[in-house]
Every structure is written in C-alpha cells, then in structure tokens.
Amino acid sequence: MADRAAKTELYEAFAATGKALSSGKRLELLDLLAQGERTVDALAKAAGLNLTTASAHLQTLKQTGLVATRRDGVRIHYRLAGEDVAQLLDLLRRVAERHQAAVAPARTAYLGPEAPDEQDAVRREDLLARIAAGHAVALDVRPVEEYAAGHIPGALSIPVEELAERIGELPEDAEVVVYCRGAYCALAYDAVRLLTARGRRAIRLDDGMLEWRLAELPVDAGAGAAAA
Amino acid sequence: MADRAAKTELYEAFAATGKALSSGKRLELLDLLAQGERTVDALAKAAGLNLTTASAHLQTLKQTGLVATRRDGVRIHYRLAGEDVAQLLDLLRRVAERHQAAVAPARTAYLGPEAPDEQDAVRREDLLARIAAGHAVALDVRPVEEYAAGHIPGALSIPVEELAERIGELPEDAEVVVYCRGAYCALAYDAVRLLTARGRRAIRLDDGMLEWRLAELPVDAGAGAAAA
DNA sequence: CCCTTTCTCGACAATTCTATGGAATAAGGG
DNA sequence: CCCTTATTCCATAGAATTGTCGAGAAAGGG
C-alpha cells in the first residue's frame, strides 16, 4: 500500500513514453530513424513537415529518451536511442493493426491493392535460401543512404525513383524479391507494380528492413556492391 | 510515392493506439486488466478514479481495441483484447525505464528501497527448480480473484493485507519467494519487508505474473490449493 | 411496473498539444 | 569578425484532452 501519489507519478512517467507515440508525425519520424540516422532537415522533408515543427517533435522524442543526437559540424543527426525503441514501434503497429478497425482500410488506401494475380509475399525465413539457390535476387528500393546504413546481404540497391531507367541492371532470369523499410512502407509496393508492368517476375518481401533486423537476421552495411 | 494524405491517415491510426497509452491512469487500468477481467466499479476503486472518469478512460481503450467487454447481468467486465496488449504494456514500461531518466527515481519512490541486506531477487528461470528441490516456496500476495485467474503452479495465496495474521500458514524451514502483478507492483515489496521484519527468509521474484505469463512459463488457474 | 444498481453519455471549465512565423544560437568559411 | 547555414527557442492561435457533474439507458428483483 505504498502511497497513491508515488504510484501516479510512476505511471505518469511511463505515460510520457506513450505520449511520445501518440502523434502520427512522431511515428513517421521514428519509422524513418529506424532506417538509420538523419539530419533534422532531411527528416522534415521526408515527413512533409516544416522545419520548426519537425524540430519540436524531435525535441519531444529526445526528452522521453527515444532518440539521441550527434553533432557533426553545423548539422545535428538524430538516431533511435536503441533497438528496443524499434521493437516498440514495431509492436505498436502490430497491435494497432490487429485490434483497431481503422488500420486495415487506411493501410490499403496508402499501399494500394496487391496486383490481382500476385502470389503471396515471400517470407523472411525463405528469402536467403531462395537467393542461395539462385532462384531469386533481393532488391532494395530505399534511398541509397538507408541501403548503406544496413541491408540484406547480397541485395542490389536501386532506389525506386531510378528503377524505371535502371531496370536493365536486374538479371532477367531470376525472380526479383523487393523490400524497403518495413511492413508499412510503400516503396516496395510501387516497385513491384512497376516491375510487373514491365513483364518482370517481381514479388514483395513480406515486410522490410525493420522487421528483418529485429528478427536478428544477418545485415550488411556500407555502400557495398550496389547494383551489378 | 503513394499520396501523403493516405500516409498521414495510416500513421494517425497507429497514433490512436499510442494515444491510448499516453495517460498514466489508462496504463494503471491496463496493468490491472493484465491480471484478469474486472468490472468498471472495481477498476475505478483500484485505480483511485471516480466512476465516470474510469468509464471514460475505458471507452478510449475500447475504441482503440485494446480492451474488450463482456456483459454479465447488470455489470460489465473489461478485459485485455489479447496477449499482445500485455506485451505492449510490458515493452513500453521496459523502454521507458531504460531510456527515460524520470522513471528510476519515481520507481524507488513508489516501491521503496530494497531491504539493505536483501539478496538479489530470484530470477524466473530459477524459481521452479528451487521449488521442486524443496528449497523454496512461492507466495502469491495479490487479491484472491487475481490468483484464481492464473498463478504460478504450486504457489500459495495470501493477499498482502492478510499476511500479518496468516503468517503461520507459511512453512518455517523453506525460503519464501514472493511475487505479485509485475515488475512495478508494490505488493511483493511490502510483503518481503513484512516477512523479513518477522524474521522469515523472504525474497522477491524478479518481476511478477505479467512477465511470467509473457515468458510462456506454466500457469495454473482456479481457486486451487490456496494456502496450506 | 417501479426501483435499485451499474454503467455510459452530454456538457462544462481547465489544461495541454500542434503547427507556424520570427528571433536567437552555434559552427564554420571567407 | 561578419556572414551563411542548420537548428532551437519563443509567442500565439486553434484544436484536442482530462476530470467532474448530472441525466439517461440496461438488467434484474420485489
């Protein structure tokens, strides 16, 4: 029977972390940061926020300890404070999708319908084996900086905006398994639609880099081999 | 590059789940519900809220799908919508404790300092072995309804308010391992202080029933054997 | 059918959050 | 040292939340 005031205060402290997760914009920022560190300016542009607003949201995140900063000359890089924060983001979205009716329609409105005759997405566990057997090649369609910060071993890197013109770099005979940031990232959906329209055998990875990393599957870093 | 409006809407939907976790009172309610279902009235009393306020918070939780209800005659029982919600609560507190400076002091202010010469708490994995070997006996100090809804196999049940008068029911020779709701529940701390003051060998389980269940360790249900 | 119990709903004031423009600060180049 | 760039701080308007009160709805007993 310790006193109620102290209990309230403790739970209010937990709630501060919940509050950090209570704005859609902050979740977008966390999602971006889960791919690697970024400057305030880059984050603001990617999330469609004006600079001061983005800075304010990042301050909130920093005060609850979910993100950390690093100064490099004149610019400040933000990053997630730890892998547990990525886990929390992942679990939050999973729970929301499972229990909240509004998520499913919003999801298809954003990601678009799957191509009608598309097979089910490739599961994480199967991908490395399919690559090793030569049946498939992994394609990372995120921006190059994110690829450099960590990618699936052996994956090619072609950002989705360049995909139309660089489609020739993909092998013609293998199936292309496309992935991007995570389960709710639109890039891979767009890429698969583009490739399929061009007559390639393309399929999405079930989710993306975030879930791959959290599953503790192997990750390569560095600009690496890029596209063939 | 699917449109920004749709992306914002999707993330706003995720944020609704975050919002549900952004109030200390709602987190207290979830913590109670993680021990089993309860009526609105019981929840309000346990969380120190007036009835309408509790009802309003429960409505918020219900709208985001984190809790579900069951009507039984004139009263309504609330329960967690799934084990993943308990997981989310657990991870949220873990992340908050790890990254947020305000948590540690609030925690000791509420739970009180450990007895000075107390050994480290018993870890989950060790408990069953120590019970089987006869070195220890587990003691559940939560209210009887919570014990009935699920407890560690073989544990005795003595709610902490009755512990002083029922201390004789505990075996004298074995070490008593006390547990309650979870890592942030004060009951086990209080019980250990009481037992130690009476000259018993008592020690806390590292955390409580919530973490035990999430670790998928065996759980017994029913009023069961209660105290010897 | 009325009355009691249990809970939800609508409305209010007090507080807090979000977005934004303009000023202030920090680091580095000429 | 001044100037430019990158970011944070401050003030403010509008929107959303919290807690509380009194009224309303649903189930069951006499």
Side-chain angles (χ1 to χ4, degrees):
Chain A
M1 289 294 146
D3 63 313
R4 169 140 292 289
K7 180 168 190 178
T8 300
E9 194 174 342
L10 175 60
Y11 276 84
E12 219 54 59
F14 292 143
T17 297
K19 239 167 235 155
L21 304 174
S22 73
S23 140
K25 291 303 181 185
R26 281 197 291 271
L27 293 179
E28 284 193 48
L29 292 171
L30 288 175
D31 185 51
L32 290 165
L33 290 172
Q35 306 299 316
E37 63 169 27
R38 290 215 186 193
T39 64
V40 178
D41 187 59
L43 287 165
K45 278 185 183 114
L49 291 170
N50 95 15
L51 187 65
T52 49
T53 308
S55 176
H57 279 305
L58 288 167
Q59 288 301 313
T60 333
L61 290 173
K62 192 176 175 183
Q63 264 170 23
T64 52
L66 296 186
V67 305
T69 56
R70 172 177 77 82
R71 176 149 223 153
D72 173 29
V74 68
R75 68 193 71 184
I76 295 182
H77 298 259
Y78 277 79
R79 64 175 185 280
L80 292 193
E83 205 59 1
D84 51 352
V85 178
Q87 253 174 56
L88 184 56
L89 174 65
D90 180 53
L91 184 55
L92 178 78
R93 295 199 292 205
R94 216 179 281 281
V95 169
E97 165 128 42
R98 174 131 174 255
H99 295 292
Q100 208 189 310
V103 170
R107 179 192 167 134
T108 52
Y110 175 49
L111 298 177
E114 313 247 344
D117 56 348
E118 186 180 358
Q119 311 150 44
D120 284 345
V122 176
R123 287 187 315 150
R124 274 198 298 277
E125 302 80 35
D126 305 337
L127 179 59
L128 288 180
R130 289 174 75 165
I131 293 175
H135 298 329
V137 56
L139 173 64
D140 188 320
V141 293
R142 296 174 299 160
V144 284
E145 319 87 64
E146 298 180 19
Y147 175 85
H151 55 263
I152 295 177
L156 304 178
S157 166
I158 308 182
V160 68
E161 314 92 63
E162 306 172 15
L163 187 53
E165 55 202 59
R166 293 175 60 188
I167 196 167
E169 296 176 24
L170 293 171
E172 301 225 350
D173 47 339
E175 178 179 63
V176 178
V177 178
V178 186
Y179 73 92
C180 54
R181 291 171 184 145
Y184 301 96
C185 172
L187 305 180
Y189 283 82
D190 292 344
V192 166
R193 278 188 287 263
L194 188 151
L195 291 173
T196 317
R198 302 288 189 95
R200 297 300 192 113
R201 276 190 302 142
I203 190 172
R204 261 188 327 103
L205 180 64
D206 201 14
D207 32 42
M209 196 62 217
L210 173 63
E211 294 84 358
W212 181 276
R213 222 176 58 226
L214 290 177
E216 305 195 358
L217 292 165
V219 173
D220 273 8
Chain B
M1 290 292 147
D3 63 312
R4 170 138 293 287
K7 180 168 189 177
T8 301
E9 193 173 344
L10 175 59
Y11 276 84
E12 219 55 58
F14 293 143
T17 296
K19 241 168 232 153
L21 304 174
S22 73
S23 141
K25 291 302 181 185
R26 281 197 290 272
L27 292 179
E28 285 193 48
L29 291 171
L30 288 175
D31 185 51
L32 290 165
L33 289 172
Q35 305 299 315
E37 62 170 26
R38 292 217 186 192
T39 64
V40 178
D41 188 59
L43 286 165
K45 280 187 182 113
L49 292 170
N50 94 14
L51 186 65
T52 45
T53 308
S55 176
H57 279 306
L58 289 167
Q59 288 302 311
T60 332
L61 291 173
K62 193 177 175 184
Q63 265 171 23
T64 51
L66 296 187
V67 305
T69 56
R70 171 176 77 82
R71 177 149 222 153
D72 173 28
V74 70
R75 69 193 70 187
I76 295 181
H77 298 260
Y78 277 80
R79 64 176 185 280
L80 291 193
E83 204 61 358
D84 52 351
V85 177
Q87 252 174 57
L88 183 56
L89 174 65
D90 180 52
L91 183 56
L92 178 78
R93 295 200 292 205
R94 215 179 282 282
V95 169
E97 165 129 40
R98 173 129 175 254
H99 296 293
Q100 207 189 310
V103 170
R107 178 192 167 135
T108 52
Y110 174 49
L111 298 177
E114 313 247 344
D117 57 347
E118 186 180 358
Q119 311 150 45
D120 283 346
V122 176
R123 287 185 316 148
R124 273 199 299 278
E125 303 78 36
D126 304 337
L127 179 59
L128 287 179
R130 288 174 76 163
I131 292 176
H135 297 327
V137 56
L139 174 64
D140 187 320
V141 293
R142 296 174 298 160
V144 284
E145 319 86 64
E146 297 181 18
Y147 175 85
H151 55 263
I152 295 177
L156 305 177
S157 166
I158 308 182
V160 69
E161 313 94 64
E162 305 172 16
L163 187 54
E165 54 202 59
R166 292 175 60 187
I167 196 169
E169 298 176 22
L170 293 171
E172 301 225 351
D173 46 340
E175 178 180 64
V176 179
V177 178
V178 186
Y179 73 92
C180 54
R181 291 171 184 146
Y184 301 96
C185 172
L187 305 179
Y189 283 82
D190 291 344
V192 166
R193 279 189 286 264
L194 189 152
L195 291 173
T196 318
R198 301 289 190 94
R200 297 299 192 115
R201 276 190 300 143
I203 191 172
R204 262 186 329 102
L205 181 63
D206 202 14
D207 33 42
M209 195 62 218
L210 173 62
E211 294 85 358
W212 182 275
R213 221 176 59 225
L214 290 177
E216 305 196 356
L217 292 166
V219 173
D220 274 6

